[in-house]
Amino acid sequence: MSPAAFAGDGFKLFKLGIFNNDTREIKSLLNSQVRYANRTNFDKFIATYDKNYVNSDGFNLETYSNLVRDVWQTYNNIEYGITIKDIDIQNDKATVTVTETSFAELPAPAKLDGVMMSEADSVYYLKKSDGDWKVASDKVISETTSLLYGAAKDLDIKLTAPQEIEAGKEYTASLEFTPPENVIAIASIASDKVEYPQNQPKEVFRKLPDDNILERIFISNSDNVNEYVVASIGLTKADINDLSIQLSLTGFGYKIVRVNVVPNNSKEINVKDR
């Protein structure tokens, strides 16, 4: 085959848009977000968003900015990652599907070191204005976060809930894990709306049943607001010495999953800032 034939084919691929400038710019934008986040460069990170940004949780840019500040002040060593799965460009708008991860080692309350791990499948909606791509909105399709301390880090914790539910409908959340031997395990499952600032859900702890499965039934809110299901666990060990029993905390943690609430009417719901 002649080298000229390869050159010709390469030119046709270029003309077909395989090396599209917009695709490169969008990838660069999203990767720069990760880079700025890992450096906690707040100004440059927020500059990647459109001034009229509103996400699927109803957070506008001001609210989202406050949320980012709070997270980075609480956890200043988070390592972020992103995998771009697909980019669909239509003129000056683009839809990008991604998988995002985060990890951090947590401060050690009660001398129990901890870790934070999160993974989310998301869709970014971008628009091009004045020659630059910006994030105009985004939607989290699925999200799981774990904050685990001490012996809880070694547990295989499964928290299941519907990824999507119609507003005002009943659904079941299930927590399952096998505690270490000779350990007393307590747990709770609660739900709360995704809002800012986030409320602390009311926890009702109970001993983990013998089958190691705890379930709870919820009714999704009728405010068309997405929800979190939060499982809290505690591990204690009993030490017996001279007929006295001393309980010591060996581990605790939280597992959180997102439940997206679908409006229960056919009319489009206007997104409100909260």
Side-chain angles (χ1 to χ4, degrees), residues 32 69 77 135 143 157 163 175 180 213 222 257 259:
S32 70
R69 282 195 183 96
N77 61 338
V135 177
E143 181 181 16
I157 303 172
Q163 183 174 303
L175 171 68
I213 300 174
S222 297
V257 297
V259 177

Side-chain angles (χ1 to χ4, degrees), residues 1 11-12 19 25 44 51 69 72 81 88 133 140 162 176 178-179 183 185 188 215 255 260 263 270 272:
M1 294 287 291
F11 179 75
K12 284 188 289 185
F19 302 102
E25 289 171 7
K44 286 191 175 181
K51 63 180 180 179
R69 282 195 183 96
W72 289 358
D88 179 29
W133 287 99
V140 180
E176 180 179 2
T178 301
V183 166
S188 75
E215 291 185 333
K255 190 141 191 174
N260 286 323
N270 291 326
K272 296 182 180 179

Side-chain angles (χ1 to χ4, degrees), residues 40-95:
T40 59
N41 189 326
F42 177 81
D43 290 339
K44 286 191 175 181
F45 177 79
I46 293 300
T48 63
Y49 288 86
D50 184 79
K51 63 180 180 179
N52 295 317
Y53 165 88
V54 179
N55 67 18
S56 63
D57 292 322
F59 297 165
N60 62 12
L61 187 58
E62 180 182 3
T63 301
Y64 182 69
S65 297
N66 291 333
L67 176 61
V68 170
R69 282 195 183 96
D70 287 351
V71 170
W72 289 358
Q73 288 173 1
T74 304
Y75 311 108
N76 58 9
N77 61 338
I78 301 178
E79 298 175 8
Y80 294 94
I82 189 171
T83 300
I84 299 173
K85 295 182 174 181
D86 184 65
I87 300 176
D88 179 29
I89 302 172
Q90 300 292 334
N91 299 320
D92 61 346
K93 293 181 173 59
T95 302

Side-chain angles (χ1 to χ4, degrees), residues 232-244:
S232 306
I233 67 170
L235 305 175
T236 58
K237 189 174 183 180
D239 296 319
I240 302 176
N241 187 14
D242 295 333
L243 299 181
S244 65

Side-chain angles (χ1 to χ4, degrees), residues 9-25 27 87 89:
D9 284 345
F11 179 75
K12 284 188 289 185
L13 288 175
F14 182 85
K15 294 292 285 185
L16 288 171
I18 299 302
F19 302 102
N20 185 279
N21 284 336
D22 285 327
T23 299
R24 287 202 304 266
E25 289 171 7
K27 287 183 177 179
I87 300 176
I89 302 172

